């Protein structure tokens, strides 16, 4: 099992800062905003009220109801509380989900580029990752592409929309068709919706929770408060699935971490029920940064960069630069770190060699300096 490349980039940035260097960190996969005040205050109130003891392993009833109500507001779909599990972040939700259904040798279909943790969890379970390259299709995934790789050993299909790292958004009709395909083949479908709210106009957020009830029988929706409410360190995620699947996930969780942090669960209730103004403000700021950095990257010699529809990552194609210089994307990222103190993540970590993932969850000033340093490195390399 490999360590996370994104975490390694963060660690490298910390080492350079400790040595006294000024570092432009465009590798971090987290908002650069503080957790909103109303959420912080809810946590303080929970602590003062003594909410520091164990809770049920799958989360407190009040938070489950807040999640059910949130999904109903967003999608018009009603779930029972028994269809909800709260976990220590979206990553644990995904781990629980796969551990509870996979047997050694089972295949899991994963579109590439992919979030680095997907294949690592599959490997932990003894499963086999089957990748669908999407870069030649503008990172778009369709049911036809999924159907071509299905075999009798296929157990799970994983979707991630908006995508980390590409920022691509799967069209609602394609999600519907993929869900129909999975239902027809008795395959589980996991929809990782960590960046669900971060879809740029004219696009609109779409959740697999909005699918018809018959299709949702084999669908798990994985959500997270980390990005939406700038709560990465709070470690609160959740899943919505058939109650039987949730019951199995709860068994896994009860023997690993037990309940998610108690006072953070009470803060999560405020996040879901309170003002949503912070979400709109973050999305507007990300859009401003996106609209600057993507054209700026595309203007660099030998670089191509599509406009992401969601999340907060640019995913430039630097293959022409690499071909000219004889470097790999990991080499380029390392040179950028060592010579310019700019942190990015090589696309090969996400199953997309020749690309870089650049987070624009950073100030516009840092983005501008970062792009200029990338330009300078490209020009030095010739």
């Amino acid at each position: 099992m490999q360590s996370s490349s994104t975490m390694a980039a963060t660690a490298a940035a910390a080492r350079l800062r400790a040595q006294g260097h000024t570092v432009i960190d465009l590798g971090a996969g987290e908002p650069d905003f503080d957790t909103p005040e109303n959420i912080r205050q809810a946590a303080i109130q929970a602590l003062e009220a003594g909410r520091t003891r164990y809770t049920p392993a799958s989360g407190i009833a009040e938070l489950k109801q807040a999640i059910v109500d949130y999904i109903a507001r967003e999608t018009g779909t009603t779930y029972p509380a028994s269809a909800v599990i709260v976990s220590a972040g979206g990553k644990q939700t995904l781990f629980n989900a796969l551990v509870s259904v996979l047997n050694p040798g089972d295949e899991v279909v994963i579109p590439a580029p992919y979030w680095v943790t997907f294949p690592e969890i599959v490997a932990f379970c003894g499963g086999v990752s089957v990748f669908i390259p999407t870069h030649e299709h503008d990172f778009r995934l369709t049911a036809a592409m999924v159907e071509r790789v299905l075999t009798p050993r296929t157990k799970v299909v994983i979707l991630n929309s908006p995508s980390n790292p590409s920022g691509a958004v799967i069209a609602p009709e394609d999600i519907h068709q993929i869900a129909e395909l999975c239902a027809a083949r008795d395959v589980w479908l996991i929809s990782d919706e960590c960046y669900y709210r971060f879809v740029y106009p004219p696009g609109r957020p779409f959740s697999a929770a909005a699918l018809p009830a018959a299709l949702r029988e084999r669908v798990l929706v994985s959500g997270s408060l980390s990005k939406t409410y700038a709560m990465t360190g709070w470690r609160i995620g959740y899943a919505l699935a058939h109650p039987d699947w949730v019951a199995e996930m709860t068994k896994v969780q009860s023997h690993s971490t037990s309940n998610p942090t108690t006072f953070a669960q009470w803060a999560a209730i405020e996040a879901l029920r309170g003002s949503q103004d912070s979400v709109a403000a973050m999305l507007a700021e990300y859009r401003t940064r996106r609209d600057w950095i993507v054209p700026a990257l595309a203007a660099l010699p030998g670089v191509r960069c599509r406009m992401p529809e969601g999340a907060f990552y640019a995913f430039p194609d630097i293959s022409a630069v690499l071909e000219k210089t004889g470097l790999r994307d990991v080499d380029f990222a390392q040179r950028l770190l060592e010579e310019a103190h700019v942190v990015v993540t090589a696309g090969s970590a996400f199953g997309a060699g020749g690309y870089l993932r650049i987070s624009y969850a950073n100030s516009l000033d840092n983005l501008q300096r970062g792009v200029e340093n990338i330009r300078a490195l490209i020009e030095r390399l010739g």
Side-chain angles (χ1 to χ4, degrees), residues 110-143:
I110 303 174
Y114 46 77
W115 183 42
V116 295
T117 296
F118 291 152
E120 297 298 335
I121 300 176
V122 174
F124 177 89
C125 297
V128 178
S129 294
V130 177
F131 301 112
I132 303 177
T134 63
H135 62 281
E136 293 184 355
H137 301 273
D138 206 23
F139 302 121
R140 307 283 185 184
L141 182 72
T142 66

Side-chain angles (χ1 to χ4, degrees), residues 2 10 60 74 103 109 155 175-176 242 255 264 308 363:
Q2 300 178 358
T10 300
I60 58 176
E74 290 288 314
N103 292 309
V109 174
K155 195 68 167 287
I175 294 177
H176 193 285
H242 189 284
H255 293 296
S363 69

Side-chain angles (χ1 to χ4, degrees), residues 61-117:
E62 293 87 346
L63 178 51
K64 290 183 181 181
Q65 189 59 51
I67 292 167
V68 166
D69 293 344
Y70 169 78
I71 293 298
R73 292 196 308 271
E74 290 288 314
T75 69
T77 302
T78 301
Y79 279 86
S82 59
V84 182
I85 180 173
V86 184
S87 301
K91 186 179 291 189
Q92 187 186 17
T93 293
L94 295 166
F95 182 88
N96 293 341
L98 290 169
V99 167
S100 61
V101 298
L102 286 184
N103 292 309
D106 286 343
E107 294 180 350
V108 179
V109 174
I110 303 174
Y114 46 77
W115 183 42
V116 295
T117 296

Side-chain angles (χ1 to χ4, degrees), residues 117-351:
T117 296
F118 291 152
E120 297 298 335
I121 300 176
V122 174
F124 177 89
C125 297
V128 178
S129 294
V130 177
F131 301 112
I132 303 177
T134 63
H135 62 281
E136 293 184 355
H137 301 273
D138 206 23
F139 302 121
R140 307 283 185 184
L141 182 72
T142 66
M145 295 165 69
V146 174
E147 187 171 22
R148 283 195 289 269
V149 302
L150 295 183
T151 75
R153 296 187 299 277
T154 304
K155 195 68 167 287
V156 179
V157 173
I158 299 179
L159 304 181
N160 177 212
S161 179
S163 165
N164 173 9
S166 72
V169 173
I170 303 175
E173 56 270 25
D174 288 322
I175 294 177
H176 193 285
Q177 291 171 10
I178 293 168
E180 288 182 325
L181 177 63
C182 289
R185 299 290 188 91
D186 290 331
V187 171
W188 299 107
L189 177 64
I190 294 176
S191 180
D192 179 0
E193 301 179 5
C194 183
Y195 297 88
Y196 162 73
R197 294 285 290 275
F198 292 148
V199 176
Y200 303 105
R204 295 174 60 86
F206 179 81
S207 171
L211 291 168
L215 294 182
R216 295 200 311 271
E217 290 289 306
R218 301 193 68 83
V219 173
L220 180 142
V221 175
S222 176
S224 172
L225 277 66
S226 292
K227 319 297 183 180
T228 306
Y229 300 103
M231 294 176 68
T232 50
W234 297 71
R235 309 314 302 137
I236 296 291
Y238 62 87
L240 298 147
H242 189 284
D244 290 346
W245 197 353
V246 168
E248 294 304 309
M249 292 172 64
T250 300
K251 293 176 186 177
V252 174
Q253 184 160 299
S254 70
H255 293 296
S256 55
T257 61
S258 296
N259 63 276
T261 301
T262 301
F263 68 84
Q265 292 187 64
W266 290 97
I269 294 173
E270 173 60 25
L272 295 170
R273 293 197 184 281
S275 171
Q276 302 296 299
D277 290 348
S278 63
V279 182
M282 281 190 282
L283 180 61
E285 180 60 27
Y286 289 145
R287 185 182 186 185
T288 297
R289 298 171 184 178
R290 178 200 68 158
D291 291 350
W292 181 85
I293 194 171
V294 171
L297 289 168
L300 297 178
V303 176
R304 296 183 298 169
C305 192
R306 64 181 292 279
M307 185 67 74
E309 298 95 352
F312 45 67
Y313 305 108
F315 201 56
D317 178 352
I318 63 166
S319 56
V321 175
L322 301 179
E323 183 176 356
K324 184 177 180 180
T325 61
L327 297 175
R328 301 171 301 161
D329 55 7
V330 291
D331 301 325
F332 186 92
Q334 188 65 29
R335 293 280 295 269
L336 192 61
L337 175 66
E338 293 174 352
E339 299 175 24
H341 300 156
V342 176
V343 182
V344 300
T345 310
S348 54
F350 307 95

